[in-house]
Amino acid sequence: MTKPPLDLYLAAPRGFCAGVDRAIKIVEMALEKWGAPVFVRHEIVHNKFVVDGLRDKGAVFVEELDDCPVDRPVIFSAHGVPKSVPAEAADRQMIYVDATCPLVSKVHIEAARHHQNGLQMVMIGHAGHPETIGTMGQLPDGEVLLVETPDDVATLKVKDPERLAFITQTTLSVDDTRHIVAALRARFPAIIGPHKEDICYATTNRQEAVKSVAPRVDAMLVIGAPNSSNSRRLVEVGAAAGCRYSQMVQRAADIDWRALEGIRSVGITAGASAPEVLIEEVIDAFRTRFDVTMEIVETAQENVEFKVPRILREPV
Ligand code: SF4
């Protein structure tokens, strides 16, 4: 039986970013250095496939420091942790390695600097996301006000409108954030903020690539995890860019083939925590059903690399 033709547009950049790459390497190097088990506070990156793979090698994933024995090393996830977490680990004399992405740490430093200068902080982010919890936790309780939408800006109660600064989560929608920043600047003209926002290069580049692919395809698939903020934003960006079927799949088995009946083109991308092997799996699944013509749509090139912490580069 002849297969129906399908144009497959593969977005680039897609998948792993430098922060995710580094965080996974940190767990692998810690296992090599100290042997199993190594404890990891929270999923090291938001991807089940990655987490299961590291679990098989001896990593134990827990949600709180209290769940870790004091005599085993613990790693903090790429999303960052409140200041109290490494402080508590140090108090208990535990070996800990911080896998917080350096681009998240940069935001932590920004927040601390503004606070020291006597400015009240506003964070644009998603309530309950570990990165937001970690960044807000750099300052004493109640010192950071969280806004998620332009409407939140209207109801914000600040101490002094002349002494404010804002920071953002790194994995937000570039376009949605622009609107929130505009609302903040309109209500508080003296507010200080980063030149653009704190959204990282990887988030920005993956959204740009989706904007280029989504308008020309019948379906846009984002390989990622439901708890991955940057992956969820890619699905939204795909829909906002004009693709009527923009969906997340964790891997090939999740594809709803019935919903894709009759399509002539598909776009594929992956969130920053989704490994390339899952992208290949999805492409292969399309090849078994369609006569695929593939085109890579590259909107940026990336060559960012982050060093692992010194503790892992030193002998035991
Ligand atoms: Fe770092 Fe951005 Fe990757 Fe998050 S998405 S780990 S901030 S590079």
Side-chain angles (χ1 to χ4, degrees), residues 16-21 23 45 78-79 99-104 131 170-171 198-203 206 230 272-273 304 306:
F16 275 10
C17 60
V20 162
D21 212 37
V45 300
H79 316 97
T100 302
C101 175
L103 299 181
V104 174
E131 183 183 329
T170 57
T171 51
D198 298 305
I199 297 172
C200 75
Y201 79 96
T203 300
R206 279 150 193 70
N230 79 86
S273 42
V304 181
F306 297 129

Side-chain angles (χ1 to χ4, degrees), residues 172-195:
L172 301 176
S173 148
V174 173
D175 296 330
D176 292 352
T177 306
R178 197 175 296 136
H179 293 133
I180 303 174
V181 170
L184 278 172
R185 291 200 192 281
R187 184 161 172 220
F188 308 111
I191 198 165
I192 292 172
H195 286 308

